[in-house]
Amino acid sequence: MKDGIHPEYREVVFADLQTGNKFVTRSTLNSRENIEIDGKTYPLFKCDVTSESHPFYTGAQTRLVETGRVEKFRARFARTSGAKKASA
């Protein structure tokens, strides 16, 4: 690796604004805000959505999507079965 061309890779804290969870990971992210955890100061990045709060990962979205699919199926089936009975 060449010296001086790569960004600084260091530990950064990501904070989920919806749940309040914080986790430390390594990143090249630059931030103006800092946070102190366990006596160490880390750059802080605030996230609107993480895997802790996103509906896809929490399972909240799948229930809504399934309900919509079932209702669409019932509406479509009701229309087709009624049309066949009327023509027979």
Side-chain angles (χ1 to χ4, degrees):
M1 270 187 358
K2 290 184 178 180
D3 291 334
I5 63 169
H6 298 284
E8 182 184 356
Y9 189 63
R10 61 180 185 238
E11 291 184 332
V12 177
V13 174
F14 287 86
D16 187 340
L17 297 179
Q18 291 184 11
T19 62
N21 291 342
K22 297 179 183 95
F23 58 93
V24 179
T25 188
R26 296 185 53 84
S27 177
T28 59
L29 180 80
N30 291 323
S31 177
R32 294 183 184 142
E33 297 182 58
N34 293 320
I35 189 170
E36 187 173 326
I37 297 178
D38 298 329
K40 291 180 73 177
T41 302
Y42 300 100
L44 174 66
F45 183 77
K46 295 178 180 176
C47 302
D48 293 328
V49 177
T50 65
S51 60
E52 293 286 328
S53 61
H54 193 280
F56 179 78
Y57 295 106
T58 60
Q61 181 182 24
T62 57
R63 290 187 196 115
L64 295 173
V65 170
E66 288 173 4
T67 303
R69 288 181 185 166
V70 170
E71 294 303 321
K72 284 181 185 177
F73 174 78
R74 287 183 179 159
R76 190 179 316 141
F77 183 72
R79 279 186 291 170
T80 58
S81 65
K84 286 181 183 177
K85 288 180 184 177
S87 63

Coordinates of all heavy atoms in Angstrom, one line a residue:
M1 N 0.8 -1.2 0.0 CA 0.0 0.0 0.0 C 0.9 1.2 0.0 O 1.9 1.3 0.7 CB -0.9 0.0 1.3 CG -2.2 -0.7 1.1 SD -3.4 -0.6 2.4 CE -2.8 0.3 3.7
K2 N 0.5 2.2 -0.8 CA 1.2 3.5 -0.8 C 0.8 4.3 0.4 O -0.3 4.3 0.9 CB 0.9 4.3 -2.1 CG 1.4 3.7 -3.3 CD 1.1 4.6 -4.5 CE 1.7 4.0 -5.7 NZ 1.4 4.9 -6.9
D3 N 1.8 5.0 1.0 CA 1.5 5.9 2.1 C 0.9 7.2 1.7 O 1.2 7.7 0.6 CB 2.8 6.2 2.9 CG 3.4 4.9 3.5 OD1 2.6 4.1 3.9 OD2 4.6 4.9 3.7
G4 N 0.0 7.7 2.5 CA -0.6 9.0 2.3 C -1.8 9.1 1.3 O -2.3 10.2 1.1
I5 N -2.2 8.0 0.7 CA -3.3 8.1 -0.3 C -4.6 7.4 0.3 O -5.7 7.6 -0.3 CB -3.0 7.4 -1.6 CG1 -2.7 5.9 -1.5 CG2 -1.8 8.1 -2.3 CD1 -2.6 5.2 -2.8
H6 N -4.5 6.7 1.4 CA -5.7 6.0 1.9 C -6.3 6.8 3.1 O -5.6 7.4 3.9 CB -5.3 4.6 2.4 CG -4.8 3.8 1.3 ND1 -5.6 3.2 0.4 CD2 -3.6 3.4 1.0 CE1 -4.9 2.5 -0.5 NE2 -3.7 2.6 -0.1
P7 N -7.6 6.8 3.2 CA -8.3 7.5 4.3 C -8.0 6.8 5.7 O -7.7 5.6 5.7 CB -9.8 7.5 4.0 CG -9.9 6.4 3.1 CD -8.7 6.2 2.3
E8 N -8.1 7.5 6.7 CA -7.8 7.0 8.1 C -9.0 6.0 8.4 O -10.1 6.3 8.4 CB -7.8 8.1 9.1 CG -7.5 7.6 10.5 CD -7.6 8.7 11.5 OE1 -7.7 9.8 11.2 OE2 -7.4 8.3 12.7
Y9 N -8.6 4.8 8.8 CA -9.5 3.7 9.1 C -9.5 3.6 10.6 O -8.5 3.2 11.2 CB -9.1 2.4 8.4 CG -10.1 1.3 8.5 CD1 -11.4 1.4 8.0 CD2 -9.8 0.1 9.1 CE1 -12.3 0.3 8.0 CE2 -10.7 -1.0 9.2 CZ -11.9 -0.8 8.7 OH -12.8 -1.9 8.7
R10 N -10.6 3.9 11.3 CA -10.6 3.9 12.8 C -12.0 3.5 13.3 O -12.9 3.3 12.5 CB -10.3 5.3 13.2 CG -11.3 6.3 12.7 CD -11.1 7.7 13.2 NE -12.2 8.5 12.7 CZ -12.1 9.6 12.0 NH1 -10.9 9.9 11.6 NH2 -13.1 10.3 11.6
E11 N -12.1 3.4 14.6 CA -13.3 3.0 15.2 C -14.2 4.2 15.3 O -13.8 5.3 15.6 CB -13.1 2.5 16.6 CG -12.4 1.1 16.6 CD -12.2 0.5 18.0 OE1 -12.1 1.3 19.0 OE2 -12.2 -0.7 18.1
V12 N -15.5 4.0 14.9 CA -16.6 5.0 14.9 C -17.8 4.5 15.5 O -18.1 3.3 15.5 CB -16.9 5.4 13.4 CG1 -18.0 6.4 13.3 CG2 -15.6 5.9 12.7
V13 N -18.6 5.3 16.2 CA -19.8 4.9 16.8 C -21.0 5.3 15.9 O -21.1 6.5 15.5 CB -20.0 5.6 18.2 CG1 -21.4 5.3 18.8 CG2 -19.0 5.1 19.2
F14 N -21.8 4.4 15.6 CA -23.1 4.6 14.8 C -24.2 4.6 15.8 O -24.4 3.6 16.6 CB -23.2 3.6 13.7 CG -22.3 3.7 12.6 CD1 -21.0 3.2 12.6 CD2 -22.7 4.5 11.5 CE1 -20.2 3.3 11.6 CE2 -21.8 4.6 10.4 CZ -20.5 4.1 10.5
A15 N -25.1 5.6 15.8 CA -26.2 5.7 16.7 C -27.5 5.7 15.9 O -27.7 6.5 15.0 CB -26.1 7.0 17.6
D16 N -28.4 4.8 16.3 CA -29.7 4.7 15.6 C -30.6 5.7 16.3 O -30.9 5.6 17.6 CB -30.3 3.3 15.8 CG -31.6 3.1 15.0 OD1 -32.2 4.1 14.7 OD2 -31.9 1.9 14.7
L17 N -31.1 6.7 15.6 CA -31.9 7.7 16.2 C -33.3 7.2 16.6 O -33.9 7.8 17.5 CB -32.1 8.9 15.3 CG -30.8 9.6 14.9 CD1 -31.0 10.8 14.0 CD2 -30.1 10.1 16.2
Q18 N -33.9 6.2 16.0 CA -35.2 5.7 16.3 C -35.2 4.8 17.6 O -36.1 4.9 18.4 CB -35.8 4.9 15.2 CG -36.1 5.7 14.0 CD -36.7 4.9 12.9 OE1 -37.1 3.8 13.1 NE2 -36.9 5.5 11.7
T19 N -34.2 4.0 17.8 CA -34.1 3.1 18.9 C -33.2 3.5 20.0 O -33.3 3.1 21.1 CB -33.7 1.6 18.5 OG1 -32.4 1.7 17.9 CG2 -34.7 1.1 17.5
G20 N -32.2 4.4 19.7 CA -31.3 4.8 20.7 C -30.1 3.9 20.8 O -29.2 4.1 21.6
N21 N -30.0 2.8 20.1 CA -28.9 1.8 20.1 C -27.7 2.4 19.5 O -27.8 3.2 18.5 CB -29.3 0.5 19.4 CG -30.3 -0.3 20.1 OD1 -30.6 0.0 21.3 ND2 -31.0 -1.1 19.4
K22 N -26.5 2.1 20.1 CA -25.3 2.6 19.6 C -24.3 1.4 19.4 O -24.4 0.4 20.2 CB -24.6 3.6 20.6 CG -25.4 4.8 20.7 CD -24.7 5.7 21.7 CE -25.6 7.0 22.0 NZ -26.4 6.9 23.1
F23 N -23.5 1.4 18.4 CA -22.6 0.3 18.2 C -21.3 0.9 17.6 O -21.3 1.8 16.9 CB -23.1 -0.9 17.4 CG -23.6 -0.5 16.0 CD1 -22.7 -0.6 14.9 CD2 -24.8 0.0 15.8 CE1 -23.1 -0.2 13.6 CE2 -25.3 0.3 14.5 CZ -24.4 0.2 13.4
V24 N -20.2 0.2 18.0 CA -18.9 0.7 17.6 C -18.4 -0.3 16.5 O -18.4 -1.5 16.6 CB -17.8 0.6 18.8 CG1 -16.5 1.1 18.3 CG2 -18.3 1.5 19.9
T25 N -17.9 0.3 15.4 CA -17.4 -0.4 14.3 C -16.2 0.4 13.7 O -16.1 1.5 14.0 CB -18.4 -0.8 13.3 OG1 -17.9 -1.7 12.3 CG2 -19.0 0.4 12.6
R26 N -15.5 -0.2 12.8 CA -14.5 0.5 12.1 C -14.9 1.1 10.8 O -15.7 0.5 10.1 CB -13.3 -0.4 11.9 CG -12.7 -0.9 13.2 CD -11.5 -1.7 13.1 NE -10.4 -1.1 12.3 CZ -9.5 -0.2 12.8 NH1 -9.5 0.1 14.1 NH2 -8.5 0.2 12.0
S27 N -14.5 2.3 10.5 CA -14.9 3.0 9.3 C -13.9 4.1 8.9 O -13.1 4.5 9.8 CB -16.3 3.6 9.5 OG -16.7 4.4 8.4
T28 N -14.1 4.6 7.7 CA -13.3 5.8 7.3 C -14.1 7.1 7.4 O -13.6 8.1 7.0 CB -12.8 5.6 5.8 OG1 -13.9 5.5 5.0 CG2 -11.9 4.4 5.7
L29 N -15.2 7.0 8.0 CA -16.2 8.1 8.1 C -15.5 9.3 8.9 O -14.9 9.1 9.9 CB -17.4 7.7 8.8 CG -18.5 8.7 9.1 CD1 -19.3 8.8 7.8 CD2 -19.4 8.3 10.2
N30 N -15.8 10.5 8.4 CA -15.4 11.7 9.1 C -16.6 12.3 9.7 O -17.7 12.4 9.1 CB -14.7 12.7 8.2 CG -13.4 12.3 7.7 OD1 -12.6 11.7 8.4 ND2 -13.1 12.6 6.4
S31 N -16.5 12.8 11.0 CA -17.6 13.4 11.7 C -17.2 14.5 12.6 O -16.1 14.5 13.1 CB -18.3 12.3 12.6 OG -19.3 12.8 13.3
R32 N -18.1 15.5 12.7 CA -17.8 16.7 13.6 C -18.1 16.4 15.0 O -17.6 17.0 15.9 CB -18.6 17.9 13.1 CG -18.2 18.3 11.7 CD -19.0 19.6 11.4 NE -18.6 20.0 10.0 CZ -19.5 20.5 9.1 NH1 -20.7 20.6 9.5 NH2 -19.1 20.8 7.9
E33 N -19.0 15.4 15.2 CA -19.5 15.1 16.6 C -18.7 13.9 17.2 O -18.3 13.0 16.4 CB -20.9 14.7 16.6 CG -21.9 15.9 16.2 CD -23.3 15.5 16.2 OE1 -23.7 15.1 17.3 OE2 -24.0 15.5 15.2
N34 N -18.5 14.0 18.5 CA -17.8 12.9 19.2 C -18.6 12.4 20.3 O -19.5 13.2 20.8 CB -16.4 13.4 19.7 CG -15.5 13.7 18.6 OD1 -15.4 13.0 17.6 ND2 -14.7 14.8 18.8
I35 N -18.4 11.2 20.8 CA -19.1 10.6 21.9 C -18.0 9.8 22.7 O -17.1 9.3 22.2 CB -20.2 9.7 21.5 CG1 -21.1 9.3 22.7 CG2 -19.7 8.5 20.7 CD1 -22.4 8.7 22.3
E36 N -18.3 9.8 24.0 CA -17.4 9.1 24.9 C -18.1 7.8 25.4 O -19.2 7.9 25.9 CB -16.9 9.9 26.1 CG -15.9 9.2 26.9 CD -15.3 10.2 28.0 OE1 -15.2 11.4 27.8 OE2 -15.0 9.6 29.1
I37 N -17.4 6.7 25.1 CA -18.0 5.4 25.6 C -16.8 4.6 26.3 O -15.8 4.4 25.7 CB -18.5 4.5 24.4 CG1 -19.7 5.3 23.7 CG2 -18.9 3.1 24.8 CD1 -20.3 4.6 22.5
D38 N -17.1 4.2 27.5 CA -16.1 3.4 28.3 C -14.8 4.2 28.4 O -13.7 3.6 28.3 CB -15.9 2.0 27.7 CG -17.1 1.2 27.7 OD1 -18.0 1.4 28.6 OD2 -17.3 0.3 26.8
G39 N -14.8 5.5 28.5 CA -13.6 6.3 28.7 C -12.8 6.6 27.4 O -11.8 7.2 27.5
K40 N -13.3 6.1 26.3 CA -12.7 6.4 25.0 C -13.6 7.4 24.2 O -14.8 7.2 24.2 CB -12.4 5.2 24.2 CG -11.3 4.3 24.9 CD -11.1 3.0 24.1 CE -10.3 3.4 22.8 NZ -10.0 2.2 22.0
T41 N -13.0 8.3 23.5 CA -13.7 9.2 22.6 C -13.7 8.7 21.2 O -12.6 8.4 20.6 CB -13.1 10.6 22.7 OG1 -13.1 11.0 24.0 CG2 -13.9 11.6 21.9
Y42 N -14.9 8.6 20.6 CA -15.0 8.1 19.2 C -15.8 9.2 18.4 O -16.6 9.9 18.9 CB -15.9 6.9 19.2 CG -15.3 5.7 20.0 CD1 -15.8 5.4 21.2 CD2 -14.3 4.9 19.4 CE1 -15.3 4.3 21.9 CE2 -13.8 3.8 20.1 CZ -14.3 3.5 21.4 OH -13.9 2.5 22.1
P43 N -15.6 9.2 17.1 CA -16.4 10.0 16.2 C -17.8 9.4 16.2 O -18.0 8.2 16.3 CB -15.8 9.9 14.8 CG -14.4 9.4 15.1 CD -14.5 8.6 16.3
L44 N -18.9 10.3 16.1 CA -20.3 9.8 16.2 C -21.0 10.1 14.9 O -20.9 11.1 14.3 CB -21.0 10.5 17.3 CG -22.5 10.3 17.4 CD1 -22.8 8.8 17.8 CD2 -23.1 11.2 18.4
F45 N -21.6 9.0 14.3 CA -22.5 9.2 13.1 C -23.9 8.8 13.5 O -24.1 7.7 14.0 CB -21.9 8.3 12.0 CG -22.7 8.4 10.7 CD1 -22.5 9.5 9.9 CD2 -23.7 7.5 10.4 CE1 -23.2 9.7 8.8 CE2 -24.4 7.7 9.2 CZ -24.2 8.8 8.4
K46 N -24.8 9.7 13.3 CA -26.2 9.4 13.6 C -27.0 8.9 12.4 O -27.0 9.5 11.3 CB -26.9 10.7 14.1 CG -26.3 11.2 15.4 CD -27.0 12.5 15.8 CE -26.3 13.1 17.0 NZ -26.9 14.4 17.4
C47 N -27.6 7.7 12.6 CA -28.3 7.0 11.5 C -29.8 7.1 11.7 O -30.3 6.9 12.8 CB -27.9 5.5 11.4 SG -26.2 5.2 11.2
D48 N -30.6 7.4 10.7 CA -32.0 7.4 10.8 C -32.6 6.0 10.9 O -33.5 5.8 11.7 CB -32.6 8.1 9.6 CG -32.3 9.6 9.5 OD1 -32.2 10.2 10.6 OD2 -32.2 10.1 8.4
V49 N -32.0 5.1 10.2 CA -32.5 3.7 10.2 C -31.3 2.7 10.2 O -30.3 3.0 9.4 CB -33.3 3.4 8.9 CG1 -33.8 2.0 8.8 CG2 -34.5 4.4 8.8
T50 N -31.4 1.7 11.0 CA -30.4 0.6 11.0 C -31.1 -0.7 11.0 O -32.4 -0.7 11.0 CB -29.5 0.7 12.2 OG1 -30.2 0.5 13.4 CG2 -28.7 2.0 12.4
S51 N -30.4 -1.8 11.1 CA -31.1 -3.1 11.1 C -31.9 -3.3 12.4 O -32.8 -4.1 12.4 CB -30.0 -4.2 11.0 OG -29.1 -4.1 12.1
E52 N -31.6 -2.5 13.4 CA -32.4 -2.6 14.6 C -33.8 -1.9 14.5 O -34.7 -2.3 15.2 CB -31.7 -1.8 15.8 CG -30.4 -2.5 16.2 CD -30.7 -3.8 17.0 OE1 -31.7 -3.8 17.7 OE2 -29.8 -4.7 16.9
S53 N -34.0 -1.0 13.6 CA -35.2 -0.3 13.4 C -35.9 -0.4 12.1 O -37.1 0.0 11.9 CB -35.0 1.2 13.8 OG -34.1 1.8 12.9
H54 N -35.2 -0.9 11.1 CA -35.8 -1.0 9.8 C -36.9 -2.1 9.7 O -36.7 -3.2 10.2 CB -34.8 -1.4 8.7 CG -35.2 -1.2 7.3 ND1 -36.0 -2.1 6.7 CD2 -35.0 -0.1 6.5 CE1 -36.2 -1.6 5.4 NE2 -35.7 -0.5 5.3
P55 N -38.1 -1.8 9.2 CA -39.2 -2.8 9.2 C -38.9 -4.1 8.5 O -39.4 -5.1 8.9 CB -40.3 -2.0 8.4 CG -40.0 -0.6 8.4 CD -38.5 -0.5 8.6
F56 N -38.0 -4.1 7.5 CA -37.6 -5.4 6.8 C -37.0 -6.3 7.8 O -37.2 -7.5 7.8 CB -36.7 -5.1 5.7 CG -36.3 -6.3 5.0 CD1 -37.2 -7.0 4.1 CD2 -35.0 -6.9 5.2 CE1 -36.8 -8.1 3.4 CE2 -34.6 -8.0 4.5 CZ -35.5 -8.7 3.7
Y57 N -36.1 -5.8 8.7 CA -35.4 -6.6 9.6 C -36.2 -6.9 10.9 O -36.0 -7.9 11.5 CB -34.0 -6.0 10.0 CG -33.1 -5.9 8.9 CD1 -32.9 -4.6 8.2 CD2 -32.4 -7.0 8.4 CE1 -32.0 -4.5 7.1 CE2 -31.6 -6.9 7.3 CZ -31.4 -5.7 6.7 OH -30.5 -5.6 5.6
T58 N -37.1 -6.0 11.3 CA -37.9 -6.2 12.5 C -39.1 -7.1 12.2 O -39.7 -7.6 13.2 CB -38.3 -4.9 13.1 OG1 -39.1 -4.2 12.1 CG2 -37.2 -4.0 13.5
G59 N -39.5 -7.3 10.9 CA -40.6 -8.1 10.6 C -41.9 -7.4 10.5 O -42.9 -8.0 10.2
A60 N -41.9 -6.1 10.8 CA -43.2 -5.3 10.8 C -43.7 -5.2 9.4 O -44.9 -5.2 9.1 CB -43.0 -4.0 11.4
Q61 N -42.8 -5.1 8.4 CA -43.2 -4.8 7.0 C -43.8 -6.1 6.4 O -44.8 -6.0 5.7 CB -42.0 -4.4 6.2 CG -42.3 -4.2 4.7 CD -41.1 -3.8 3.9 OE1 -40.0 -4.2 4.3 NE2 -41.3 -3.1 2.8
T62 N -43.3 -7.2 6.7 CA -43.9 -8.5 6.1 C -45.3 -8.7 6.5 O -46.1 -9.2 5.6 CB -43.0 -9.7 6.5 OG1 -43.0 -9.8 7.9 CG2 -41.6 -9.6 6.0
R63 N -45.7 -8.4 7.7 CA -47.1 -8.6 8.1 C -48.0 -7.7 7.2 O -49.1 -8.1 6.8 CB -47.3 -8.3 9.5 CG -46.6 -9.3 10.4 CD -46.9 -9.1 11.9 NE -46.0 -9.8 12.7 CZ -45.1 -9.3 13.5 NH1 -45.0 -8.0 13.6 NH2 -44.3 -10.1 14.2
L64 N -47.6 -6.4 7.0 CA -48.4 -5.5 6.2 C -48.5 -5.9 4.8 O -49.6 -5.9 4.2 CB -47.9 -4.1 6.3 CG -47.9 -3.4 7.7 CD1 -47.1 -2.1 7.6 CD2 -49.3 -3.2 8.2
V65 N -47.4 -6.4 4.2 CA -47.4 -6.8 2.8 C -48.3 -8.1 2.7 O -49.0 -8.2 1.7 CB -45.9 -7.1 2.4 CG1 -45.9 -7.7 1.0 CG2 -45.2 -5.8 2.3
E66 N -48.1 -9.0 3.6 CA -48.9 -10.3 3.5 C -50.4 -10.0 3.6 O -51.2 -10.5 2.8 CB -48.6 -11.2 4.6 CG -47.2 -11.9 4.4 CD -46.8 -12.7 5.6 OE1 -47.5 -12.9 6.5 OE2 -45.6 -13.2 5.5
T67 N -50.8 -9.1 4.5 CA -52.2 -8.7 4.6 C -52.7 -8.1 3.3 O -53.8 -8.5 2.8 CB -52.4 -7.7 5.7 OG1 -51.9 -8.3 6.9 CG2 -53.9 -7.4 5.9
G68 N -52.0 -7.2 2.7 CA -52.4 -6.6 1.4 C -52.5 -7.7 0.3 O -53.4 -7.6 -0.5
R69 N -51.6 -8.6 0.3 CA -51.7 -9.7 -0.7 C -52.9 -10.6 -0.6 O -53.6 -10.9 -1.5 CB -50.4 -10.6 -0.7 CG -49.2 -9.9 -1.2 CD -48.0 -10.8 -1.1 NE -46.8 -10.1 -1.4 CZ -45.6 -10.5 -1.2 NH1 -45.4 -11.7 -0.6 NH2 -44.5 -9.9 -1.6
V70 N -53.2 -10.9 0.7 CA -54.4 -11.7 0.9 C -55.7 -11.0 0.5 O -56.5 -11.6 -0.2 CB -54.5 -12.2 2.4 CG1 -55.8 -12.8 2.7 CG2 -53.3 -13.1 2.7
E71 N -55.8 -9.7 0.8 CA -56.9 -9.0 0.5 C -57.1 -8.8 -1.0 O -58.2 -8.9 -1.6 CB -56.9 -7.6 1.1 CG -57.0 -7.6 2.6 CD -58.3 -8.3 3.1 OE1 -59.3 -8.2 2.5 OE2 -58.2 -9.1 4.1
K72 N -56.0 -8.6 -1.7 CA -56.0 -8.5 -3.2 C -56.4 -9.9 -3.8 O -57.2 -9.9 -4.7 CB -54.6 -8.2 -3.8 CG -54.2 -6.7 -3.6 CD -52.9 -6.5 -4.2 CE -52.4 -5.1 -3.9 NZ -51.1 -4.9 -4.4
F73 N -55.9 -11.0 -3.3 CA -56.3 -12.3 -3.8 C -57.8 -12.5 -3.5 O -58.5 -13.0 -4.5 CB -55.5 -13.4 -3.1 CG -56.0 -14.8 -3.4 CD1 -55.6 -15.3 -4.6 CD2 -56.8 -15.5 -2.5 CE1 -56.1 -16.6 -5.0 CE2 -57.2 -16.8 -2.9 CZ -56.9 -17.3 -4.1
R74 N -58.3 -12.2 -2.4 CA -59.8 -12.4 -2.1 C -60.6 -11.5 -3.0 O -61.7 -12.0 -3.5 CB -60.0 -12.1 -0.6 CG -59.5 -13.1 0.3 CD -59.9 -12.8 1.7 NE -59.4 -13.9 2.6 CZ -59.2 -13.7 3.9 NH1 -59.5 -12.6 4.5 NH2 -58.7 -14.7 4.6
A75 N -60.2 -10.3 -3.2 CA -61.0 -9.4 -4.1 C -61.0 -10.0 -5.5 O -62.0 -10.0 -6.2 CB -60.4 -8.0 -4.1
R76 N -59.9 -10.4 -6.0 CA -59.8 -10.9 -7.4 C -60.6 -12.2 -7.5 O -61.3 -12.5 -8.5 CB -58.3 -11.2 -7.7 CG -58.1 -11.5 -9.2 CD -56.7 -11.7 -9.5 NE -55.8 -10.8 -9.0 CZ -54.6 -11.1 -8.5 NH1 -54.1 -12.3 -8.5 NH2 -53.8 -10.2 -7.9
F77 N -60.5 -13.1 -6.5 CA -61.2 -14.4 -6.5 C -62.7 -14.2 -6.5 O -63.4 -14.8 -7.2 CB -60.7 -15.3 -5.4 CG -61.3 -16.6 -5.4 CD1 -61.0 -17.6 -6.3 CD2 -62.3 -17.0 -4.4 CE1 -61.5 -18.8 -6.3 CE2 -62.9 -18.2 -4.4 CZ -62.5 -19.1 -5.4
A78 N -63.1 -13.2 -5.7 CA -64.5 -12.9 -5.6 C -65.1 -12.4 -6.9 O -66.2 -12.8 -7.3 CB -64.8 -11.9 -4.5
R79 N -64.3 -11.6 -7.6 CA -64.8 -11.1 -8.9 C -64.9 -12.2 -9.9 O -65.9 -12.3 -10.7 CB -63.8 -10.0 -9.4 CG -64.1 -8.7 -8.8 CD -63.2 -7.7 -9.5 NE -61.8 -8.0 -9.1 CZ -60.7 -7.5 -9.6 NH1 -60.8 -6.6 -10.6 NH2 -59.6 -7.8 -9.1
T80 N -63.9 -13.1 -10.0 CA -63.8 -14.1 -11.0 C -64.9 -15.2 -10.7 O -65.5 -15.7 -11.6 CB -62.4 -14.8 -11.2 OG1 -62.1 -15.3 -9.9 CG2 -61.4 -13.8 -11.6
S81 N -65.0 -15.6 -9.5 CA -66.0 -16.7 -9.2 C -67.4 -16.2 -9.4 O -68.3 -16.9 -9.9 CB -65.8 -17.1 -7.7 OG -66.1 -16.1 -6.8
G82 N -67.7 -14.9 -9.1 CA -69.0 -14.3 -9.4 C -69.3 -14.2 -10.9 O -70.5 -14.5 -11.3
A83 N -68.3 -13.9 -11.7 CA -68.5 -13.8 -13.1 C -68.8 -15.2 -13.7 O -69.7 -15.3 -14.6 CB -67.3 -13.2 -13.8
K84 N -68.2 -16.2 -13.3 CA -68.4 -17.5 -13.8 C -69.8 -18.1 -13.4 O -70.4 -18.7 -14.2 CB -67.3 -18.5 -13.3 CG -66.0 -18.3 -13.9 CD -65.0 -19.3 -13.3 CE -63.6 -19.0 -13.9 NZ -62.6 -19.9 -13.4
K85 N -70.2 -17.8 -12.2 CA -71.5 -18.2 -11.8 C -72.6 -17.6 -12.6 O -73.6 -18.2 -13.0 CB -71.8 -18.0 -10.3 CG -71.0 -18.9 -9.4 CD -71.2 -18.6 -8.0 CE -70.4 -19.5 -7.1 NZ -70.5 -19.1 -5.7
A86 N -72.4 -16.3 -12.9 CA -73.5 -15.5 -13.7 C -73.5 -16.0 -15.1 O -74.6 -16.1 -15.7 CB -73.1 -14.1 -13.6
S87 N -72.4 -16.4 -15.7 CA -72.4 -16.8 -17.1 C -72.9 -18.3 -17.3 O -73.3 -18.7 -18.3 CB -71.0 -16.6 -17.7 OG -70.1 -17.5 -17.1
A88 N -72.8 -19.1 -16.2 CA -73.2 -20.5 -16.3 C -74.6 -20.8 -16.3 O -75.6 -20.2 -16.3 CB -72.5 -21.3 -15.1

